[in-house]
Amino acid sequence: MSGELPGGGDEPGPTEWGRPRVGVGPWAQEHPDEPRPTDPRFDPELLDDGDRRNVVDAYRYWTREAIVADIDARRHPLHVAIENFENDMNIGTVVRTANAFAAAAVHIVGRRRWNRRGAMVTDRYQHLHHHDTVDEVVAWARERGLAVVAVDNVPGSVPLETAELPRECLLLFGQEGPGVTEAARDAADMTVSIAQFGSTRSINAGVAAGIAMHAWIRTHAQIGDAW
């Protein structure tokens, strides 16, 4: 069953991340008047036990591989990179948001280890890549014709609210606190900032990533294709 938890049984139990149950019960219970699906995208164990995963209704009872393949067929040419030189706790949030927007991939720069809890299991459906240095991820992007756009509130940055984000690009985020490294800013094709009006110097890195990704979505995605 592709490593997914079955979530079966008659009594409420935990989901994949230890919270009260969500989702649907066994197919026969939920669809008593419909035949059991024979499509290979459906997971026999999930059909038997129920599907308590954090997935949209269209993917209920599907195998993980089938879900990934379906998203792959319509992923956006948007890549997201986040620097991880100090074990940033926001990476899980970035991964979860990238999954929601069907980003092509998330690139983690620096340390390989990161806290997956914030991803809420979406890392199983999102392509992830690791790069040891900023130069490495920039070179990777250049080889594929992706524009590198750093996101940070620094002098000389262009307001995200008025910037024209390239369709095929890699959004590069720094970690909480220090922001994008100087090496990343120097390597980027452009740096954009998010307008702020309060007293704080910066906003949470995970929030900033969500804002920037949604700016790309508003410009380039086919909204009618959303769930």
Side-chain angles (χ1 to χ4, degrees):
M1 193 178 59
S2 308
E4 303 288 1
L5 299 185
D10 298 326
E11 298 298 327
T15 62
E16 292 162 296
W17 57 90
R19 293 183 178 178
R21 273 189 170 185
V22 295
V24 293
W27 177 271
Q29 172 185 307
E30 300 288 340
H31 306 275
D33 299 323
E34 298 180 27
R36 180 186 173 95
T38 57
D39 189 308
R41 292 175 299 183
F42 287 84
D43 187 314
E45 289 188 42
L46 292 176
L47 291 171
D48 288 341
D49 301 330
D51 188 352
R52 311 298 181 179
R53 300 171 300 174
N54 179 26
V55 298
V56 297
D57 289 343
Y59 289 146
R60 288 295 176 204
Y61 304 110
W62 284 29
T63 67
R64 179 173 58 174
E65 291 81 4
I67 294 173
V68 173
D70 189 73
I71 299 173
D72 283 348
R74 52 189 177 77
R75 285 191 192 274
H76 295 122
L78 168 66
H79 290 254
V80 180
I82 183 168
E83 296 180 292
N84 184 39
F85 298 113
E86 297 179 4
N87 286 326
D88 196 302
M89 299 294 289
N90 293 284
I91 294 176
T93 300
V94 174
V95 171
R96 184 180 183 187
T97 306
N99 169 266
F101 293 143
V106 174
H107 303 258
I108 299 170
V109 184
R111 298 187 179 186
R112 290 179 178 273
R113 297 190 63 181
W114 55 280
N115 190 326
R116 281 174 159 73
R117 186 174 182 81
M120 301 290 277
V121 197
T122 55
D123 54 307
R124 296 185 180 183
Y125 310 96
Q126 179 63 53
H127 297 300
L128 304 174
H129 301 288
H130 175 263
H131 306 269
D132 291 319
T133 65
V134 169
D135 287 345
E136 187 178 308
V137 71
V138 169
W140 188 95
R142 297 271 188 259
E143 291 173 359
R144 290 157 179 80
L146 302 175
V148 178
V149 180
V151 182
D152 201 359
N153 286 17
V154 294
S157 60
V158 179
L160 175 65
E161 295 72 21
T162 60
E164 294 185 12
L165 294 176
R167 183 173 184 273
E168 297 184 357
C169 72
L170 180 142
L171 297 178
L172 177 56
F173 300 91
Q175 55 202 356
E176 191 73 21
V180 174
T181 59
E182 184 176 354
R185 291 196 300 272
D186 291 343
D189 296 300
M190 65 184 297
T191 299
V192 298
S193 59
I194 297 172
Q196 297 176 204
F197 304 91
S199 63
T200 183
R201 173 187 170 277
S202 63
I203 59 178
N204 175 272
V207 173
I211 292 171
M213 280 188 261
H214 192 255
W216 187 97
I217 290 294
R218 286 172 60 90
T219 302
H220 298 294
Q222 297 295 321
I223 304 303
D225 294 339
W227 293 120

